[in-house]
Amino acid sequence: MKKYIDKNGNIYVRESYRVGSKTSTRKVCKLGKVSDLMKEHNWSEEQVLQWVDQTVKKMTAEKKEANQADRYIKMSGNAVISPDSPENSQVSLMGGYLFLQSLLSSLGLPKILVKISEKSRSEFNLSDVVCFLVYSQILNPGSKRHAWTKRESFLEKWDFELHDVYRALDLLGANFELIQQELFKSSHELLNGRNTEVLYYDCTNFYFEIEEQDLTEEEIQLLTDMDYIIKPKAGIRRYGVSKEHRPNPLVQMGLFIDSDDIPVRMSIFPGNQSEQISINRETFNEIHRKYKIGSFVYCADGGLGSNNIKKALKSYSFPSSYIVTQSIKKLPEDLQAKCLDLDRTQKWKYKFFDKTLNRMIEKTILFDDIDQSPKNGTVYYREIWRLNNDGEEERLIVTYSPKYAHYLKTLRQDHIRRALKKLKQYGNRKRATDPARLISRTDITKDGEVATLTEYEIDEEKIAQEEKYDGFYSLATQLEGASVDTILAVNKQRYQIEMAFRILKTNLEARPVYVRSPERIKGHFLICFIALLVVKILEKSLDNQYTLDNILDVLRDYRVTQLYDDQGYSPTLHPSYLMDDLVKTYDLPLNKVYLTKDQMEQIIKKSKKKRKLTTFFKKTEN
């Protein structure tokens, strides 16, 4: 609504309306005459105009509220939903992806993809395809073909073909590193800085439902024209040690996450490659050069804390350190004796809360005086300094927990019980696929004579050897100035990277993988990486008040029914505080009972705008 003053000083309120494709205006009411209002209220002309503006503004707000308050939907008891009357159909569509779209837009992913698309001169909308694949990986995980067949079930309609999906994966694989770098920069801006004081690193692997591994370049060179009609291409799906104990070919993933459990960088490498060579001097140099990360603490398990990795970290551009687990079993015997306190003369430190002083205090105790009951969860520790293989001083932090020792003893008793059961069944192989069926066994004496008896027994010596280490745990570090509590707390958070792998494999169903070429495999896992980044930021934007399972349930269950005759949308959702918080945080009012077509278009438009940090992470008032 707007004010209108004619040449005689009469003040009117007018509004615009549409007739077909044309717009016109009409008078709503008359507010009076300028001169009469000045005389009646003893106002100046400026005060009259100010009152008019306020009145028009109030009338506009009241009409807008009235329009939104009550909506009447035309329903006909005679209308039939059939192929002959498609206009009567009411379709249920997925709408939870709009919250994800808002995050991807704020991360700047569409703009990153537009630049790549322009550079590659692709003939399809790369941004639409990739964003759609991310939504599908989060809300409806499956193969790329499966995602494409379900594209019509989303609120928005995307115009691309199945071959565009695979071409998009090729482009993602070709720009694998670039996209990760750009997303790190944009997430740094969105989150008002990334917490990279500690970087956690670990590896996992993913299986493919195939029987034969890919060939390497060297193997392909040895092939003759008679071996294959069409020579295969080199690949990265190779046999290796599966984390899930599967016999299928694998690819491996190395993942960095920051101190807030948000992914930083990912790498993909062949399934038969050692995890230890997945990280080297060049890896750390790229972290500085391309990700602009300065000093940090590298935290990983013992398998990824080799001397070569420590050397690579030492050559890093900024002073950095490490905290890695150290297997006591692999230490020299004299150092093992110190760690295990075999002579029982060393003092162990521990902390407890003193109610009199109302604070934590530190005490020392001899090992033989420690309460060994299973309920004793106190962690006792010692510090031992040693020279590593490079002659540099390194601090070993050895901990002992009676509760952990009891857990290991209980676990071993179960193993012994199962081992005794195996003794009775040994040699009775029933599975036709058991590789051991192909092995014939002949027992002979030292003199080469055939033995008539074979004896199996529990190895008591090995059990006693393992019992020595029950309850002990050690870390190696060169971190200076940090207390033992701090180092233990940093290492304790290492489980978060295992949780990230669990999310990838379980919630996001990153495996099994259905693509073959190295570029498309990288493209698939880049989609999964982006999906992991989005859900982790989503958790953070909600102040980590809700579990990821709950968030995904709400997003996956949210649907809107498109009412027949294009009358708007009726959302279908379960009332929850989580949904209310999503609506408040992302300012997308998707929890209304009814949404007009115009309102839904505005929501979709808003979800595609890049938003500032404060709009996501400000505290909302109840």
Side-chain angles (χ1 to χ4, degrees), residues 103 187-188 190-195 258-262 532-548 551 582 585-586 613 616-619:
L103 259 180
S187 64
H188 193 282
L190 178 65
L191 299 170
N192 199 21
R194 294 284 297 268
N195 186 358
D258 64 15
S259 302
D260 291 329
D261 317 325
I262 300 175
L532 178 63
L533 176 67
V534 168
V535 297
K536 281 296 184 180
I537 295 178
L538 193 62
E539 279 185 304
K540 185 175 174 63
S541 70
L542 296 170
D543 292 328
N544 295 310
Q545 295 182 49
Y546 304 98
T547 65
L548 180 59
I551 294 172
L582 281 168
T585 303
Y586 292 91
L613 167 77
F616 281 128
F617 298 98
K618 65 183 178 183
K619 297 288 184 182

Side-chain angles (χ1 to χ4, degrees), residues 333-345:
E333 289 187 7
D334 59 332
L335 200 53
Q336 279 193 41
K338 287 184 180 179
C339 291
L340 301 175
D341 190 14
L342 295 179
D343 57 6
R344 299 293 190 259
T345 58

Side-chain angles (χ1 to χ4, degrees), residues 519-580:
E519 293 300 329
R520 290 182 182 179
I521 290 171
K522 286 184 177 181
H524 164 74
F525 284 112
L526 185 55
I527 292 290
C528 297
F529 175 85
I530 297 170
L532 178 63
L533 176 67
V534 168
V535 297
K536 281 296 184 180
I537 295 178
L538 193 62
E539 279 185 304
K540 185 175 174 63
S541 70
L542 296 170
D543 292 328
N544 295 310
Q545 295 182 49
Y546 304 98
T547 65
L548 180 59
D549 288 335
N550 288 340
I551 294 172
L552 292 180
D553 285 343
V554 168
L555 294 180
R556 289 169 178 173
D557 291 344
Y558 181 86
R559 303 185 77 88
V560 291
T561 300
Q562 188 174 10
L563 302 176
Y564 84 96
D565 202 19
D566 208 16
Q567 295 187 78
Y569 300 88
S570 176
T572 304
L573 71 155
H574 299 291
S576 67
Y577 292 112
L578 171 53
M579 187 63 186
D580 291 345

Side-chain angles (χ1 to χ4, degrees), residues 51-66:
W51 173 79
V52 170
D53 289 337
Q54 292 174 352
T55 303
V56 172
K57 187 176 181 180
K58 184 178 179 182
M59 289 175 67
T60 303
E62 288 175 351
K63 182 171 183 180
K64 187 175 181 181
E65 185 177 350

Side-chain angles (χ1 to χ4, degrees), residues 83-101:
D84 297 327
S85 54
E87 68 277 1
N88 293 338
S89 64
Q90 298 188 152
V91 185
S92 179
L93 303 168
M94 296 175 67
Y97 77 93
L98 291 172
F99 296 110
L100 307 176
Q101 184 162 266

